[in-house]
Amino acid sequence: MQRARIGTTGLEVSRLALGTMTWSRDTDAEEAGGQLDAFLDAGGTLLDTAASYADGGSEELIGAMLGGSVSRTDVQICTKAGIRRTQHGGMVDASRDTMLDTLDASLRRLGTDHVDVWLVHQYDAGTPLDETLHALEIAVNSGRARYVGVSNYPGWATARIATLADRRPTLAATQVEYSLLQRGIEREVVPAASSLGLGVMAWSPLGRGVLTGKYRTSIPADSRAASEHLAGFVEPYLDGRAGSIVEALAIASEGLGVTPQETALAWVLARPFVATAVVGARTAEQLLPSLDAATLKLPPAIADALDEVSAIELGYPERR
């Protein structure tokens, strides 16, 4: 698997990152171990998790693996903080104390003294950006995080916090949703990131699983869309527009002799601003086509056709 630098930093990561959102909840330790083995065998290095995934269960499972057959030197870890658990559910909180307390708890669960990439999970309108940035600065200066960045930030906030970071720890990345079904970041986030040297880490490059084609005719009983806690996550991409894109993807993939999963992911990886794409799966078997996509090069005509069918409207003032 090829590697790429994140933004203008010296950090090199695998073009695919292994997402672990379902680990310890929908994916048990045996299946997670199978995924990790396949990922490492394919040349992958970057594991993506978050303190809020399964209420810390994902990090705990990774930590158990690192304490067993997997060496810490074989993997790079990206985790996220900024969503605080309350009795009413998750609450966005990127304050300095919550961020740093969460990082310390993440390190304990992961069984390591540092993470390679630490991200603010979501923009917090109630906390000054400078305070959140200070937490990132402390994490880097204390050695608890090698590189830092943001996730799910709108374009203006991405640009603002990156500008505030001048002469302080450089922001390395922004992790945002990006796929043939969700190209909204092209309006403002990508121009901001490119201008300020942030690499883009694309999460859900398979359109929350819809681009695998599994929902073309029905909702499988064992799918995310049939899950009580993930159905709402998938539902927005089961509309008519998504259906048209999935059909075009299926036709293109049939002509190439590959799966829609491979084609959709190869399209994302070919975008020049994408440093790495985060792929997750419930089972090791579901992960394998994504690993194959890491070496797939789409013919220009296919890439252009998919680009056209999934294009978003750019209005004022983005469109010139």
Side-chain angles (χ1 to χ4, degrees):
M1 189 183 302
Q2 292 183 334
R3 294 164 68 94
R5 288 195 174 188
I6 293 187
T8 55
T9 71
L11 177 63
E12 285 192 348
V13 299
S14 51
R15 292 302 313 280
L16 292 179
L18 181 57
T20 65
M21 184 178 70
T22 65
W23 284 19
S24 85
R25 186 183 60 190
D26 303 306
T27 301
D28 61 24
E30 183 177 355
E31 283 289 357
Q35 289 184 29
L36 183 56
D37 287 343
F39 180 67
L40 295 176
D41 288 345
T45 60
L46 182 61
L47 303 183
D48 182 81
T49 186
S52 60
Y53 291 171
D55 291 335
S58 172
E59 292 179 332
E60 287 181 349
L61 185 49
I62 293 172
M65 291 179 178
L66 295 181
S69 60
V70 179
S71 171
R72 175 67 177 90
T73 59
D74 290 337
V75 298
Q76 298 164 303
I77 299 174
C78 171
T79 194
K80 298 174 280 290
I83 297 180
R84 176 164 52 87
R85 180 61 54 187
T86 72
Q87 61 179 348
H88 303 294
M91 172 183 175
V92 176
D93 183 355
S95 62
R96 182 170 45 244
D97 59 342
T98 294
M99 289 288 294
L100 294 174
D101 284 349
T102 303
L103 176 57
D104 288 339
S106 291
L107 294 176
R108 287 193 296 270
R109 287 190 290 265
L110 290 165
T112 184
D113 62 355
H114 75 280
V115 292
D116 300 276
V117 184
W118 189 46
L119 306 176
V120 187
H121 206 153
Q122 191 168 324
Y123 170 67
D124 177 8
T127 300
L129 286 173
D130 198 60
E131 179 177 334
T132 300
L133 181 61
H134 190 210
L136 300 180
E137 181 180 13
I138 292 171
V140 171
N141 290 344
S142 65
R144 286 177 278 178
R146 297 291 191 258
Y147 294 88
V148 291
V150 296
S151 179
N152 302 310
Y153 267 43
W156 73 266
T158 302
R160 179 58 178 157
I161 195 169
T163 302
L164 287 171
D166 188 31
R167 301 187 184 90
R168 295 162 81 171
T170 301
L171 296 193
T174 177
Q175 187 177 121
V176 281
E177 183 176 6
Y178 186 65
S179 71
L180 283 165
L181 298 183
Q182 179 52 269
R183 296 175 58 182
I185 65 169
E186 293 178 11
R187 295 187 180 96
E188 292 190 343
V189 173
V190 169
S194 298
S195 176
L196 294 163
L198 279 69
V200 171
M201 305 172 70
W203 66 263
S204 203
L206 295 175
R208 309 187 184 190
V210 174
L211 291 170
T212 63
K214 69 173 67 176
Y215 302 110
R216 289 176 70 189
T217 59
S218 63
I219 297 178
D222 62 347
S223 67
R224 290 181 177 181
S227 166
E228 180 179 348
H229 55 272
L230 288 175
F233 181 68
V234 179
E235 192 275 333
Y237 294 156
L238 297 179
D239 60 8
R241 175 181 177 273
S244 298
I245 294 172
V246 170
E247 288 305 313
L249 178 65
I251 293 171
S253 301
E254 184 177 357
L256 293 172
V258 298
T259 65
Q261 184 172 340
E262 292 171 78
T263 304
L265 189 51
W267 181 88
V268 169
L269 290 173
R271 310 301 279 184
F273 49 83
V274 173
T276 187
V278 182
V279 292
R282 186 173 53 83
T283 67
E285 183 180 4
Q286 292 174 350
L287 179 66
L288 296 180
S290 291
L291 300 179
D292 291 337
T295 57
L296 177 62
K297 303 296 182 184
L298 298 181
I302 295 293
D304 290 345
L306 293 174
D307 191 66
E308 182 177 353
V309 74
S310 65
I312 57 173
E313 182 177 353
L314 293 180
Y316 175 85
E318 293 87 8
R319 185 179 59 199
R320 295 181 180 180

